[in-house]
């Protein structure tokens, strides 16, 4: 691993990983993703009807006696609330992606200035870049591995640790959606569903972290 005072290729201002074109690409992808996700959320909000939730609850109760200990009415309330909060969560995710992308471009401008002056980038730069890269390429299977690899390649400490952190950053937009679903479950008085959502979040984060850690490990072995 390079030491904090090393000036090898990982802090070379001419490196592709510090190229402004990369920033343009990442920001463009994040903004497009934000627009698409936000549009899906708005569309879902306008299409959600209580009758739809009632129909689903009726079908579920017909095939399972009091699922989660809920009556048909309570189950319909929970389904409707989750649908509304989930759709609102998608809108919030879209906003986070767009605002985050614009912030990231400004942040990277400062990083390039540091590198051009011969200084090292901030210590959190490696996992942040890896996580943002994976988020921008979220439509690519196992994008977490690539993000972890980038974080591990740029790491000046542990490539695996920075890979893990990149996996955590990758999941940040989704945390907003999971949080909205958890709130929706609590609002309808169904803490069991909220606990299930929390468990799902932990599994989601664990998967992201494992894949990103693998990428960081591979980068550490190859550099």
């Amino acid at each position: 691993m390079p030491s904090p005072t090393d000036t090898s290729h990982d802090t070379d201002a001419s490196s592709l990983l510090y190229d402004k074109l990369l920033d343009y690409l990442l920001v463009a992808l994040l903004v497009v993703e934000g627009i698409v996700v936000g549009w899906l959320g708005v569309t879902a909000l306008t299409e959600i009807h209580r009758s739809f939730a009632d129909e689903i609850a009726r079908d579920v109760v017909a095939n399972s006696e009091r699922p989660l200990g809920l009556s048909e009415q309570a189950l319909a309330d929970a389904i409707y609330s989750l649908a509304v909060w989930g759709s609102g969560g998608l809108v919030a995710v879209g906003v986070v992606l767009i605002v985050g992308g614009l912030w990231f471009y400004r942040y990277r401008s400062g990083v390039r200035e540091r590198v051009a002056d011969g200084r090292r980038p901030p210590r959190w730069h490696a996992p942040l870049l890896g996580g943002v890269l994976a988020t921008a390429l979220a439509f690519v299977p196992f994008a977490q591995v690539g993000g972890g690899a980038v974080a591990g390649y740029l790491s000046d400490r542990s490539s695996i640790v920075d890979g893990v952190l990149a996996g955590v950053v990758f999941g940040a937009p989704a945390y907003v959606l999971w949080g909205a679903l958890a709130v929706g479950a609590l609002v309808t008085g169904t803490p069991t569903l909220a606990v299930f959502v929390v468990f799902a979040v932990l599994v989601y984060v664990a998967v992201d972290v494992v894949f990103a850690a693998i990428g960081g490990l591979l980068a550490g072995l190859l550099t």
Side-chain angles (χ1 to χ4, degrees):
M1 304 296 169
S3 66
T5 58
D6 190 5
T7 57
S8 58
H9 58 274
D10 61 339
T11 53
D12 184 357
S14 64
S15 168
L16 174 63
L17 294 177
Y18 293 99
D19 196 309
K20 185 177 292 188
L21 290 177
L22 175 62
D23 297 350
Y24 287 147
L25 176 61
L26 294 182
V27 172
L29 288 173
L30 290 172
V31 170
V32 170
E33 288 177 3
I35 292 173
V36 171
V37 173
W39 173 79
L40 289 175
V42 172
T43 301
L45 280 173
T46 59
E47 296 295 327
I48 292 174
H49 301 289
R50 178 56 193 243
S51 58
F52 177 71
D54 291 338
E55 182 179 348
I56 294 178
R58 187 163 47 250
D59 291 340
V60 171
V61 171
N63 294 286
S64 176
E65 185 177 351
R66 294 180 65 84
L68 298 176
L70 301 175
S71 65
E72 180 178 327
Q73 181 64 42
L75 181 60
D77 290 340
I79 292 173
Y80 182 72
S81 179
L82 287 176
V84 171
W85 280 89
S87 300
L90 287 176
V91 175
V93 169
V95 173
V96 167
L97 286 169
I98 294 172
V99 174
L102 297 176
W103 171 86
F104 178 73
Y105 180 80
R106 182 176 180 180
Y107 161 78
R108 283 276 288 180
S109 296
V111 170
R112 282 194 301 275
E113 290 178 3
R114 287 175 64 108
V115 173
D117 291 341
R119 295 177 292 157
R120 297 192 67 82
R123 291 185 62 84
W124 60 82
H125 177 256
L128 180 60
L129 176 60
V132 170
L133 177 65
T135 301
L137 299 176
F139 53 88
V140 177
F142 308 113
Q144 306 96 313
V145 177
V150 169
Y153 175 78
L154 293 177
S155 177
D156 58 7
R157 40 187 173 182
S158 168
S159 61
I160 297 179
V161 170
D162 278 336
V164 166
L165 293 176
V168 175
V169 172
F170 166 79
Y175 302 155
V176 177
L177 176 59
W178 289 113
L181 291 173
V183 171
L186 291 174
V187 166
T188 54
T190 52
T192 302
L193 281 177
V195 171
F196 176 78
V197 170
V198 172
F199 176 75
V201 171
L202 294 177
V203 173
Y204 172 79
V205 173
V207 171
D208 289 341
V209 164
V210 168
F211 281 124
I214 291 173
L217 174 62
L218 292 175
L221 293 175
L222 298 175
T223 55

